Short mmCIF file of all heavy atoms in Angstrom, two decimals:
data_model
loop_
_atom_site.label_atom_id
_atom_site.label_comp_id
_atom_site.label_asym_id
_atom_site.label_seq_id
_atom_site.Cartn_x
_atom_site.Cartn_y
_atom_site.Cartn_z
N MET A 1 -2.90 62.06 51.32
CA MET A 1 -2.28 61.70 50.00
C MET A 1 -1.39 62.87 49.53
O MET A 1 -1.97 64.05 49.54
CB MET A 1 -3.34 61.30 48.95
CG MET A 1 -2.77 60.92 47.63
SD MET A 1 -3.96 60.59 46.43
CE MET A 1 -3.89 62.12 45.50
N TYR A 2 -0.30 62.66 49.13
CA TYR A 2 0.47 63.70 48.66
C TYR A 2 0.17 64.05 47.07
O TYR A 2 0.11 63.05 46.34
CB TYR A 2 2.02 63.42 48.67
CG TYR A 2 2.65 63.59 49.93
CD1 TYR A 2 2.83 62.58 50.86
CD2 TYR A 2 2.99 64.88 50.42
CE1 TYR A 2 3.40 62.77 52.11
CE2 TYR A 2 3.48 65.06 51.66
CZ TYR A 2 3.78 63.94 52.47
OH TYR A 2 4.18 64.10 53.80
N VAL A 3 -0.01 65.24 46.97
CA VAL A 3 -0.24 65.73 45.46
C VAL A 3 0.94 66.12 44.85
O VAL A 3 1.40 65.74 43.74
CB VAL A 3 -1.34 66.91 45.46
CG1 VAL A 3 -1.42 67.62 44.16
CG2 VAL A 3 -2.65 66.49 46.11
N CYS A 4 1.76 66.93 45.72
CA CYS A 4 3.05 67.43 45.11
C CYS A 4 4.16 66.83 45.94
O CYS A 4 4.35 67.21 47.17
CB CYS A 4 2.97 69.01 45.28
SG CYS A 4 4.54 69.77 44.68
N LEU A 5 4.99 65.99 45.33
CA LEU A 5 6.02 65.33 46.08
C LEU A 5 7.25 66.22 46.23
O LEU A 5 7.94 66.17 47.26
CB LEU A 5 6.50 64.07 45.34
CG LEU A 5 5.49 62.91 45.33
CD1 LEU A 5 6.03 61.71 44.51
CD2 LEU A 5 5.20 62.49 46.82
N CYS A 6 7.47 67.14 45.29
CA CYS A 6 8.58 68.01 45.32
C CYS A 6 8.44 68.94 46.56
O CYS A 6 9.50 69.14 47.25
CB CYS A 6 8.69 68.92 44.05
SG CYS A 6 9.14 67.97 42.64
N LYS A 7 7.31 69.47 46.78
CA LYS A 7 7.14 70.37 47.86
C LYS A 7 6.40 69.75 49.19
O LYS A 7 6.15 70.41 50.08
CB LYS A 7 6.25 71.57 47.34
CG LYS A 7 6.92 72.39 46.28
CD LYS A 7 8.06 73.11 46.80
CE LYS A 7 8.72 73.96 45.75
NZ LYS A 7 9.81 74.82 46.14
N GLY A 8 6.00 68.47 49.02
CA GLY A 8 5.47 67.75 50.17
C GLY A 8 4.03 68.28 50.51
O GLY A 8 3.67 68.53 51.67
N ILE A 9 3.26 68.59 49.42
CA ILE A 9 1.92 69.13 49.64
C ILE A 9 0.95 68.07 49.59
O ILE A 9 0.82 67.38 48.48
CB ILE A 9 1.71 70.30 48.69
CG1 ILE A 9 2.78 71.38 48.84
CG2 ILE A 9 0.28 70.93 48.96
CD1 ILE A 9 2.80 72.31 47.65
N THR A 10 0.03 67.94 50.63
CA THR A 10 -1.05 66.98 50.52
C THR A 10 -2.32 67.55 49.99
O THR A 10 -2.48 68.80 49.79
CB THR A 10 -1.40 66.55 52.00
OG1 THR A 10 -1.83 67.78 52.70
CG2 THR A 10 -0.15 65.93 52.65
N GLU A 11 -3.13 66.58 49.61
CA GLU A 11 -4.46 67.00 49.06
C GLU A 11 -5.30 67.91 50.17
O GLU A 11 -5.87 68.77 49.78
CB GLU A 11 -5.30 65.71 48.81
CG GLU A 11 -6.59 65.87 48.20
CD GLU A 11 -7.28 64.63 47.63
OE1 GLU A 11 -6.66 63.54 47.67
OE2 GLU A 11 -8.54 64.69 47.27
N ARG A 12 -5.11 67.48 51.38
CA ARG A 12 -5.75 68.21 52.50
C ARG A 12 -5.18 69.64 52.41
O ARG A 12 -6.09 70.58 52.66
CB ARG A 12 -5.60 67.40 53.74
CG ARG A 12 -6.26 68.06 54.87
CD ARG A 12 -6.01 67.20 56.13
NE ARG A 12 -6.58 67.88 57.33
CZ ARG A 12 -6.56 67.30 58.48
NH1 ARG A 12 -6.04 66.12 58.63
NH2 ARG A 12 -7.16 67.91 59.46
N GLN A 13 -4.02 69.92 52.41
CA GLN A 13 -3.39 71.25 52.42
C GLN A 13 -3.98 72.01 51.36
O GLN A 13 -4.30 73.28 51.43
CB GLN A 13 -1.87 71.24 52.30
CG GLN A 13 -1.15 70.82 53.57
CD GLN A 13 0.27 70.77 53.32
OE1 GLN A 13 0.77 69.77 52.73
NE2 GLN A 13 1.00 71.82 53.73
N LEU A 14 -4.06 71.37 50.06
CA LEU A 14 -4.59 72.11 48.88
C LEU A 14 -6.03 72.48 49.17
O LEU A 14 -6.37 73.61 48.78
CB LEU A 14 -4.56 71.21 47.72
CG LEU A 14 -3.32 71.29 46.74
CD1 LEU A 14 -3.47 70.29 45.49
CD2 LEU A 14 -3.14 72.70 46.35
N LYS A 15 -6.84 71.55 49.64
CA LYS A 15 -8.23 71.74 49.86
C LYS A 15 -8.40 72.80 50.88
O LYS A 15 -9.35 73.77 50.77
CB LYS A 15 -8.87 70.53 50.26
CG LYS A 15 -9.11 69.60 49.14
CD LYS A 15 -9.92 68.34 49.60
CE LYS A 15 -10.13 67.35 48.33
NZ LYS A 15 -10.75 66.12 48.66
N GLU A 16 -7.61 72.91 51.89
CA GLU A 16 -7.72 73.98 53.00
C GLU A 16 -7.40 75.31 52.28
O GLU A 16 -8.09 76.37 52.58
CB GLU A 16 -6.70 73.61 54.09
CG GLU A 16 -7.25 72.50 55.05
CD GLU A 16 -6.35 72.19 56.15
OE1 GLU A 16 -5.10 72.65 56.04
OE2 GLU A 16 -6.64 71.36 56.91
N ALA A 17 -6.37 75.40 51.45
CA ALA A 17 -5.94 76.59 50.88
C ALA A 17 -7.01 77.19 49.88
O ALA A 17 -7.29 78.35 49.89
CB ALA A 17 -4.70 76.42 50.10
N ILE A 18 -7.68 76.21 49.13
CA ILE A 18 -8.83 76.55 48.28
C ILE A 18 -9.92 77.06 49.20
O ILE A 18 -10.48 78.10 48.78
CB ILE A 18 -9.20 75.39 47.48
CG1 ILE A 18 -8.03 74.96 46.47
CG2 ILE A 18 -10.49 75.72 46.65
CD1 ILE A 18 -8.20 73.62 45.84
N ALA A 19 -10.30 76.47 50.29
CA ALA A 19 -11.34 76.88 51.10
C ALA A 19 -11.03 78.28 51.74
O ALA A 19 -11.98 79.03 52.01
CB ALA A 19 -11.55 75.83 52.29
N GLU A 20 -9.84 78.54 51.96
CA GLU A 20 -9.48 79.89 52.43
C GLU A 20 -9.40 80.91 51.42
O GLU A 20 -9.13 82.11 51.63
CB GLU A 20 -8.05 79.79 52.93
CG GLU A 20 -7.98 79.06 54.40
CD GLU A 20 -6.57 78.65 54.82
OE1 GLU A 20 -5.60 79.07 54.10
OE2 GLU A 20 -6.45 77.97 55.80
N GLY A 21 -9.85 80.60 50.16
CA GLY A 21 -10.12 81.63 49.04
C GLY A 21 -9.04 81.67 47.98
O GLY A 21 -9.03 82.55 47.15
N HIS A 22 -8.07 80.71 48.03
CA HIS A 22 -7.06 80.67 46.98
C HIS A 22 -7.67 79.86 45.81
O HIS A 22 -7.55 78.61 45.71
CB HIS A 22 -5.70 80.04 47.42
CG HIS A 22 -5.12 80.66 48.57
ND1 HIS A 22 -5.37 80.47 49.85
CD2 HIS A 22 -4.28 81.75 48.56
CE1 HIS A 22 -4.63 81.17 50.58
NE2 HIS A 22 -3.99 82.10 49.77
N SER A 23 -8.52 80.59 45.00
CA SER A 23 -9.39 79.98 44.01
C SER A 23 -8.70 79.92 42.55
O SER A 23 -9.32 79.41 41.74
CB SER A 23 -10.70 80.72 43.85
OG SER A 23 -10.47 82.04 43.65
N GLU A 24 -7.51 80.43 42.43
CA GLU A 24 -6.73 80.32 41.19
C GLU A 24 -5.51 79.43 41.29
O GLU A 24 -4.93 79.48 42.43
CB GLU A 24 -6.35 81.68 40.71
CG GLU A 24 -7.44 82.74 40.58
CD GLU A 24 -8.38 82.39 39.44
OE1 GLU A 24 -7.75 81.76 38.41
OE2 GLU A 24 -9.44 82.76 39.36
N PHE A 25 -5.06 78.79 40.34
CA PHE A 25 -3.96 77.89 40.51
C PHE A 25 -2.72 78.80 40.87
O PHE A 25 -1.82 78.32 41.72
CB PHE A 25 -3.66 77.18 39.20
CG PHE A 25 -2.38 76.31 39.33
CD1 PHE A 25 -2.49 75.13 40.08
CD2 PHE A 25 -1.17 76.70 38.82
CE1 PHE A 25 -1.24 74.46 40.20
CE2 PHE A 25 -0.02 75.99 39.08
CZ PHE A 25 -0.04 74.76 39.61
N MET A 26 -2.56 79.94 40.29
CA MET A 26 -1.39 80.79 40.67
C MET A 26 -1.32 81.23 42.09
O MET A 26 -0.35 81.41 42.68
CB MET A 26 -1.34 82.00 39.73
CG MET A 26 -1.00 81.74 38.27
SD MET A 26 0.50 80.74 38.09
CE MET A 26 1.78 81.86 38.52
N ASP A 27 -2.59 81.43 42.72
CA ASP A 27 -2.74 81.76 44.12
C ASP A 27 -2.15 80.50 44.96
O ASP A 27 -1.41 80.70 45.96
CB ASP A 27 -4.10 81.81 44.60
CG ASP A 27 -4.76 83.11 44.01
OD1 ASP A 27 -3.96 84.10 43.74
OD2 ASP A 27 -5.98 83.17 44.00
N LEU A 28 -2.55 79.29 44.55
CA LEU A 28 -2.05 78.19 45.20
C LEU A 28 -0.47 77.85 45.10
O LEU A 28 0.20 77.62 46.00
CB LEU A 28 -2.75 76.77 44.71
CG LEU A 28 -4.27 76.79 45.03
CD1 LEU A 28 -4.84 75.59 44.26
CD2 LEU A 28 -4.59 76.66 46.44
N LYS A 29 -0.08 78.27 43.88
CA LYS A 29 1.39 78.13 43.73
C LYS A 29 2.09 79.04 44.52
O LYS A 29 3.21 78.78 45.20
CB LYS A 29 1.56 78.40 42.25
CG LYS A 29 2.98 78.12 41.63
CD LYS A 29 3.18 78.34 40.33
CE LYS A 29 4.63 78.14 39.86
NZ LYS A 29 4.70 78.29 38.36
N ARG A 30 1.66 80.36 44.60
CA ARG A 30 2.37 81.31 45.43
C ARG A 30 2.25 81.06 46.91
O ARG A 30 3.25 81.13 47.67
CB ARG A 30 1.56 82.72 45.24
CG ARG A 30 2.50 83.77 44.61
CD ARG A 30 1.73 85.16 44.67
NE ARG A 30 0.37 85.12 44.34
CZ ARG A 30 -0.19 85.32 43.08
NH1 ARG A 30 0.70 85.49 42.13
NH2 ARG A 30 -1.44 85.26 42.89
N GLU A 31 1.01 80.40 47.30
CA GLU A 31 0.77 80.25 48.80
C GLU A 31 1.63 78.93 49.18
O GLU A 31 2.34 78.93 50.25
CB GLU A 31 -0.65 80.02 48.93
CG GLU A 31 -1.09 79.81 50.39
CD GLU A 31 -0.90 80.93 51.32
OE1 GLU A 31 -0.65 82.09 50.87
OE2 GLU A 31 -0.97 80.76 52.58
N LEU A 32 1.48 77.85 48.40
CA LEU A 32 2.12 76.56 48.87
C LEU A 32 3.33 76.18 48.12
O LEU A 32 4.07 75.30 48.60
CB LEU A 32 1.01 75.47 48.78
CG LEU A 32 -0.27 75.65 49.42
CD1 LEU A 32 -1.32 74.59 49.04
CD2 LEU A 32 -0.05 75.57 50.91
N GLY A 33 3.44 76.67 46.86
CA GLY A 33 4.58 76.33 46.09
C GLY A 33 4.23 75.07 45.18
O GLY A 33 5.08 74.49 44.53
N VAL A 34 2.92 74.70 45.22
CA VAL A 34 2.52 73.62 44.32
C VAL A 34 2.81 73.79 42.81
O VAL A 34 2.68 74.89 42.35
CB VAL A 34 1.00 73.19 44.58
CG1 VAL A 34 0.19 74.38 44.01
CG2 VAL A 34 0.61 71.90 43.83
N GLY A 35 3.44 72.77 42.19
CA GLY A 35 3.83 72.95 40.73
C GLY A 35 4.99 73.88 40.52
O GLY A 35 5.28 74.17 39.32
N ALA A 36 5.70 74.20 41.62
CA ALA A 36 6.81 75.20 41.32
C ALA A 36 8.12 74.45 40.99
O ALA A 36 9.11 75.13 40.55
CB ALA A 36 6.96 76.05 42.50
N GLN A 37 8.13 73.18 41.03
CA GLN A 37 9.41 72.52 40.63
C GLN A 37 9.29 71.78 39.43
O GLN A 37 9.45 72.23 38.33
CB GLN A 37 9.92 71.72 41.90
CG GLN A 37 11.36 71.75 41.96
CD GLN A 37 11.75 71.25 43.35
OE1 GLN A 37 11.34 71.75 44.41
NE2 GLN A 37 12.79 70.34 43.47
N CYS A 38 9.05 70.41 39.50
CA CYS A 38 8.92 69.60 38.20
C CYS A 38 7.78 69.81 37.48
O CYS A 38 7.61 69.54 36.28
CB CYS A 38 9.08 68.11 38.62
SG CYS A 38 7.68 67.40 39.34
N GLY A 39 6.61 70.23 38.16
CA GLY A 39 5.32 70.43 37.41
C GLY A 39 4.44 69.26 37.13
O GLY A 39 3.25 69.44 36.63
N LYS A 40 4.90 68.07 37.73
CA LYS A 40 4.06 66.84 37.44
C LYS A 40 2.82 66.87 38.23
O LYS A 40 1.87 66.13 37.73
CB LYS A 40 4.98 65.62 37.79
CG LYS A 40 5.88 65.14 36.84
CD LYS A 40 6.61 63.94 37.28
CE LYS A 40 7.82 63.56 36.33
NZ LYS A 40 8.79 62.81 36.94
N CYS A 41 2.67 67.62 39.26
CA CYS A 41 1.50 67.55 39.99
C CYS A 41 0.48 68.56 39.49
O CYS A 41 -0.61 68.59 40.05
CB CYS A 41 1.83 68.00 41.53
SG CYS A 41 2.66 69.68 41.50
N ILE A 42 0.81 69.35 38.55
CA ILE A 42 -0.21 70.43 38.02
C ILE A 42 -1.52 69.85 37.67
O ILE A 42 -2.57 70.40 38.04
CB ILE A 42 0.51 71.34 37.03
CG1 ILE A 42 1.68 72.21 37.66
CG2 ILE A 42 -0.47 72.29 36.42
CD1 ILE A 42 2.51 72.95 36.70
N PRO A 43 -1.52 68.81 36.75
CA PRO A 43 -2.83 68.23 36.33
C PRO A 43 -3.77 67.92 37.59
O PRO A 43 -4.99 68.21 37.66
CB PRO A 43 -2.52 67.07 35.47
CG PRO A 43 -1.17 67.46 34.94
CD PRO A 43 -0.52 68.14 36.06
N VAL A 44 -3.15 67.20 38.53
CA VAL A 44 -3.88 66.62 39.67
C VAL A 44 -4.29 67.96 40.50
O VAL A 44 -5.53 67.91 41.01
CB VAL A 44 -2.90 65.77 40.52
CG1 VAL A 44 -3.84 65.29 41.81
CG2 VAL A 44 -2.60 64.55 39.76
N ALA A 45 -3.39 68.95 40.70
CA ALA A 45 -3.78 70.06 41.53
C ALA A 45 -4.92 70.79 40.82
O ALA A 45 -5.89 71.27 41.45
CB ALA A 45 -2.56 70.97 41.64
N LEU A 46 -4.96 70.87 39.43
CA LEU A 46 -5.97 71.58 38.78
C LEU A 46 -7.31 70.85 38.91
O LEU A 46 -8.28 71.47 38.95
CB LEU A 46 -5.56 71.69 37.34
CG LEU A 46 -4.56 72.77 36.95
CD1 LEU A 46 -4.13 72.74 35.51
CD2 LEU A 46 -4.98 74.23 37.29
N ALA A 47 -7.17 69.52 38.90
CA ALA A 47 -8.42 68.72 38.98
C ALA A 47 -9.06 68.91 40.36
O ALA A 47 -10.24 69.12 40.58
CB ALA A 47 -8.16 67.27 38.74
N ILE A 48 -8.18 68.89 41.48
CA ILE A 48 -8.74 69.18 42.83
C ILE A 48 -9.33 70.51 42.91
O ILE A 48 -10.43 70.78 43.48
CB ILE A 48 -7.56 68.98 43.84
CG1 ILE A 48 -7.26 67.47 43.90
CG2 ILE A 48 -8.00 69.52 45.21
CD1 ILE A 48 -5.84 67.26 44.63
N LEU A 49 -8.64 71.50 42.38
CA LEU A 49 -9.15 72.97 42.29
C LEU A 49 -10.39 73.08 41.58
O LEU A 49 -11.48 73.62 42.18
CB LEU A 49 -8.07 73.86 41.72
CG LEU A 49 -8.56 75.32 41.52
CD1 LEU A 49 -8.53 76.01 42.85
CD2 LEU A 49 -7.39 76.10 40.74
N ALA A 50 -10.60 72.37 40.47
CA ALA A 50 -11.89 72.40 39.76
C ALA A 50 -13.02 71.65 40.55
O ALA A 50 -14.13 72.26 40.57
CB ALA A 50 -11.77 71.66 38.46
N GLU A 51 -12.71 70.56 41.17
CA GLU A 51 -13.59 69.81 42.00
C GLU A 51 -14.03 70.66 43.19
O GLU A 51 -15.30 70.77 43.50
CB GLU A 51 -12.83 68.57 42.51
CG GLU A 51 -13.79 67.40 42.94
CD GLU A 51 -12.85 66.33 43.31
OE1 GLU A 51 -12.31 65.63 42.33
OE2 GLU A 51 -12.75 65.96 44.37
N GLU A 52 -13.11 71.28 43.94
CA GLU A 52 -13.40 72.09 45.03
C GLU A 52 -14.26 73.37 44.75
O GLU A 52 -15.16 73.76 45.37
CB GLU A 52 -12.18 72.45 45.84
CG GLU A 52 -11.52 71.25 46.55
CD GLU A 52 -12.46 70.49 47.43
OE1 GLU A 52 -12.90 71.06 48.46
OE2 GLU A 52 -12.62 69.25 47.14
N THR A 53 -13.90 74.00 43.74
CA THR A 53 -14.53 75.28 43.23
C THR A 53 -15.98 75.03 42.79
O THR A 53 -16.76 75.79 42.98
CB THR A 53 -13.68 76.19 42.42
OG1 THR A 53 -13.39 75.37 41.21
CG2 THR A 53 -12.50 76.74 42.97
N ALA A 54 -16.09 73.84 42.19
CA ALA A 54 -17.52 73.40 41.70
C ALA A 54 -18.48 73.27 42.91
O ALA A 54 -19.69 73.38 42.75
CB ALA A 54 -17.46 72.04 40.88
N LYS A 55 -17.88 72.96 44.15
CA LYS A 55 -18.73 72.76 45.28
C LYS A 55 -19.35 73.97 45.83
O LYS A 55 -20.28 73.95 46.58
CB LYS A 55 -17.91 72.05 46.41
CG LYS A 55 -17.56 70.60 46.17
CD LYS A 55 -16.80 70.01 47.32
CE LYS A 55 -16.22 68.68 47.22
NZ LYS A 55 -15.34 68.31 48.16
N ASN A 56 -18.66 75.20 45.59
CA ASN A 56 -19.01 76.33 46.17
C ASN A 56 -19.93 77.20 45.34
O ASN A 56 -20.21 77.00 44.19
CB ASN A 56 -17.73 77.23 46.40
CG ASN A 56 -16.83 76.57 47.33
OD1 ASN A 56 -17.18 75.80 48.25
ND2 ASN A 56 -15.58 76.69 47.20
FE1 FES B 1 4.85 69.12 42.38
FE2 FES B 1 7.00 68.38 41.37
S1 FES B 1 5.41 67.20 42.24
S2 FES B 1 6.38 70.37 41.49
#
């Protein structure tokens, strides 16, 4: 499932980047570009980040 349509970033890519240690939203933005254009994906990306970091 695509999280960020502007940059074509999937939920899986986000989860992989989080697992690799990108534990802050700004890290994900720098690494993948998520949220760097229209910003509509930011709430979803933050929710995935919170969910994934809560697992660790
Ligand atoms: Fe992610 Fe537009 S959908 S920046």
Side-chain angles (χ1 to χ4, degrees):
M1 180 188 102
Y2 280 100
V3 173
C4 178
L5 291 177
C6 294
K7 299 288 181 175
I9 301 164
T10 62
E11 183 172 350
R12 185 176 174 174
Q13 281 176 285
L14 266 184
K15 287 182 177 177
E16 283 172 359
I18 296 163
E20 286 166 5
H22 299 91
S23 57
E24 301 288 334
F25 181 75
M26 290 309 287
D27 291 337
L28 293 172
K29 187 175 177 180
R30 244 190 319 270
E31 181 70 12
L32 302 173
V34 64
Q37 213 160 314
C38 75
K40 283 183 187 158
C41 59
I42 294 174
V44 177
L46 286 174
I48 292 169
L49 180 61
E51 203 175 285
E52 292 302 300
T53 52
K55 286 182 188 171
N56 301 323

